[in-house]
Amino acid sequence: MNQTQKEFMEIAIGLSQSGMDQGKGGPFGCIIVKNGQIIGKGSNSVLSTNDPTAHAEIVAIREACNSLGNFQLEGCEIYTSCEPCPMCLGAIYWARPSRVFYANTKSDAAEAGFDDQFIYDELNLPYSDRKIPFDQILQDEAKKVFENWILKENKSVY
Ligand SMILES: [Zn+2]
């Protein structure tokens, strides 16, 4: 960790405190940096926006992609005040930043009442044993659209 990385993480931690103080949501903050510039920032805003996906990382990724006018975070660094949950981890992989720094661990989050271990546990179970039932229906009909996608010309492949 160098001095600049330390300062960026302090900003992310500051957002975790200010978001919590403003009643936006839980104590989580995140910033996204490209070429030394902050291009996206977020605090957990689940409560203020009634959006269960408004985790700090998601809020920051949306802002950063909007600033870049791109759906990829190529060459970007993410500084998040806590190790990402499975949803944010997935979003980070889709966004493809170059590096992630985190401060608190997921066990620190669990001690504060934010336990995402149950999601990791669910991933290892067959659908039939999961807490939320998943049933497959109308595969043939849905698959036709995939076939149309495969045949579609002039599409952006990502
Ligand atoms: Zn998350």
Side-chain angles (χ1 to χ4, degrees), residues 3-116:
Q3 183 61 26
T4 312
Q5 292 162 347
K6 179 173 177 278
E7 285 167 16
F8 282 137
M9 185 57 85
E10 283 168 352
I11 294 171
I13 294 169
L15 285 166
S16 72
Q17 181 72 53
S18 60
M20 176 185 92
D21 292 345
Q22 292 161 22
K24 289 184 175 178
F28 302 91
C30 179
I31 63 166
I32 298 175
V33 174
K34 183 163 188 173
N35 301 327
Q37 300 288 322
I38 299 173
I39 58 162
K41 54 187 178 180
S43 299
N44 180 297
S45 306
V46 168
L47 300 176
S48 60
T49 61
N50 289 320
D51 180 354
T53 69
H55 287 192
E57 298 92 327
I58 303 286
V59 174
I61 287 170
R62 286 181 179 151
E63 190 175 297
C65 286
N66 199 36
S67 332
L68 291 177
N70 197 310
F71 54 83
Q72 300 280 265
L73 294 177
E74 199 181 332
C76 296
E77 292 176 343
I78 295 184
Y79 293 81
T80 177
S81 70
C82 186
E83 195 175 351
C85 77
M87 174 182 71
C88 293
L89 194 62
I92 287 167
Y93 271 85
W94 289 123
R96 303 191 184 106
S98 58
R99 197 168 183 184
V100 177
F101 295 93
Y102 66 93
N104 283 310
T105 64
K106 56 185 178 185
S107 42
D108 295 329
E111 279 176 35
F114 299 95
D115 192 359
D116 55 17

